[in-house]
Amino acid sequence: MTSELTQKMAKIISQNILTPVIYMLENDDVVDFICFCDRNITMQEIYNVEQIIKTETGKTAEIIDIREFGESERLEVINHATLIHSEHPMIEKIFTQSMLEDFKIAMQERQDVLER
């Protein structure tokens, strides 16, 4: 996807789904947009935006709330997906730091269980 089209998709998502950050993973015919969605957004609203993106790109779009992922999967998203929207550079840093902290807590809990 071109950077112009990517920015257009980010704009469509951010205007319709309140989210401070949007990451993108592009596969052959599917594009995943990973967001930190407002909890008031309905599945129908997400579906409608996915259909707009499909019309624009010709690819199946999936909009996924990052909270649906486990801690290690969130780190994979942050490390391997392309950040296509951030309300402010500081928001991105805070978001990344929060995901890292969640991962550290999960690993500590795992270690505590193993030690018992």
Side-chain angles (χ1 to χ4, degrees), residues 75-91:
L75 286 181
E76 288 292 317
V77 168
I78 291 169
N79 288 325
H80 298 290
T82 304
L83 179 70
I84 62 169
H85 170 76
S86 178
E87 285 184 13
H88 189 277
M90 191 59 119
I91 296 289

Side-chain angles (χ1 to χ4, degrees), residues 97-112:
Q97 184 62 36
S98 175
M99 294 301 110
L100 289 171
E101 198 60 37
D102 288 349
F103 181 74
K104 287 179 186 176
I105 291 168
M107 291 299 101
Q108 185 60 48
E109 288 173 357
R110 180 178 176 212
Q111 185 63 33
D112 292 346

Side-chain angles (χ1 to χ4, degrees), residues 21-37:
V21 293
I22 304 170
Y23 291 91
M24 181 181 79
L25 287 170
E26 188 174 6
N27 299 308
D28 294 331
D29 58 346
V30 177
V31 181
D32 293 331
F33 295 96
I34 298 116
C35 310
F36 188 75
C37 301

Side-chain angles (χ1 to χ4, degrees), residues 1-2 5-6 8-9 12 24 26-33 49-62:
M1 202 176 326
T2 66
L5 187 56
T6 299
K8 185 175 182 180
M9 296 309 101
I12 289 169
M24 181 181 79
E26 188 174 6
N27 299 308
D28 294 331
D29 58 346
V30 177
V31 181
D32 293 331
F33 295 96
V49 174
E50 289 173 341
Q51 294 309 304
I52 292 168
I53 292 171
K54 184 175 184 177
T55 300
E56 293 285 331
T57 64
K59 294 184 175 190
T60 300
E62 293 182 5

